[in-house]
Amino acid sequence: MLPEILVLRHGETEWNAARRMQGGRDSPLTEYGRAQARAMGAMLAGRGITAATHRLLSSPQGRAVETARLAFGVAPEIDPRLREIAMGDWSGLTRAEIDARWPGPQGEHFLDFYARAPRGEGFDALWARCADLLAALDRPTILVTHGMTSRVLRTIATGRGRGDLAALPGGQGVVFRIAHGRHDMLRAPLAPARGEG
């Protein structure tokens, strides 16, 4: 049985706002993204959840580290297994630029889109590193990560399989709590922003 985990996606970044794929690359948080980080931290503090009550782990990518710092007021422990899925040749490009150079089928599912990124990481590798991280957790933990990594972590943590990846909600400005086999979404008092990643 896993300990309680709280999964946060980083706040909105400049590239999220521009609908640009980040993957293994990075861009700064927007002012709205910084406000989202603070709101998530305040919401959790109101529930008695802080970096003093839970281990705080973050992706090494700047947008996640900054979100953790703003939310909890301390530097997080860095775990590279929390980084976002690498998008290969698509990193830094907008969806329109990708569609122009690598057109996919009409109405393509977002998971199929991520899976076909040229020289991308792919879901097998992402699934393996997320499973490895979860297996190593031994106490209540806050995980600050990214859109697709969050989705895979939560799918594994709730005992679901690869076919269930699209079943769980996503979004920024929300915290996902997994405890005793339950998956709950806790919304911070700010409207969610746009985009995955």
Side-chain angles (χ1 to χ4, degrees), residues 66-86:
E66 181 70 358
T67 296
R69 188 188 64 75
L70 288 169
F72 300 102
V74 297
E77 291 180 61
I78 302 301
D79 194 310
R81 293 172 292 188
L82 289 171
R83 70 189 183 279
E84 182 59 305
I85 188 170

Side-chain angles (χ1 to χ4, degrees), residues 67-138:
T67 296
R69 188 188 64 75
L70 288 169
F72 300 102
V74 297
E77 291 180 61
I78 302 301
D79 194 310
R81 293 172 292 188
L82 289 171
R83 70 189 183 279
E84 182 59 305
I85 188 170
M87 296 301 293
D89 294 346
W90 292 354
S91 294
L93 301 179
T94 65
R95 182 63 190 258
E97 291 167 334
I98 293 166
D99 288 344
R101 293 173 59 189
W102 295 274
Q106 186 72 21
E108 180 177 39
H109 192 278
F110 76 93
L111 293 174
D112 295 331
F113 171 78
Y114 274 80
R116 70 179 178 89
R119 295 192 292 182
E121 179 176 11
F123 285 106
D124 289 343
L126 177 58
W127 189 276
R129 66 177 158 88
C130 288
D132 186 60
L133 179 136
L134 290 171
L137 298 181
D138 59 1

Side-chain angles (χ1 to χ4, degrees), residues 124-191:
D124 289 343
L126 177 58
W127 189 276
R129 66 177 158 88
C130 288
D132 186 60
L133 179 136
L134 290 171
L137 298 181
D138 59 1
R139 62 186 172 105
T141 305
I142 300 162
L143 305 173
V144 184
T145 187
H146 309 269
M148 197 55 67
T149 305
S150 167
R151 186 175 293 275
V152 171
L153 284 164
R154 292 180 289 118
T155 299
I156 296 169
T158 54
R160 302 176 191 208
R162 290 271 299 271
D164 300 313
L165 268 176
L168 295 176
Q172 285 176 313
V174 295
V175 177
F176 297 99
R177 178 180 181 266
I178 299 165
H180 312 295
R182 288 181 44 105
H183 179 276
D184 299 307
M185 183 170 72
L186 311 174
R187 190 170 296 282
L190 272 176

Side-chain angles (χ1 to χ4, degrees), residues 26-57:
D26 223 347
S27 71
L29 297 181
T30 62
E31 186 53 47
Y32 187 73
R34 291 188 287 277
Q36 285 178 317
R38 291 184 194 101
M40 289 187 288
M43 177 190 63
L44 289 175
R47 294 170 175 261
I49 298 169
T50 68
T53 64
H54 288 60
R55 185 178 184 193
L56 177 59
L57 296 179

Side-chain angles (χ1 to χ4, degrees), residues 10 12-16 20 22 25-30 62-63:
H10 61 80
E12 180 191 67
T13 68
E14 291 178 4
W15 281 13
N16 288 145
R20 194 171 291 282
Q22 293 178 113
R25 295 179 65 186
D26 223 347
S27 71
L29 297 181
T30 62
R63 59 194 186 270

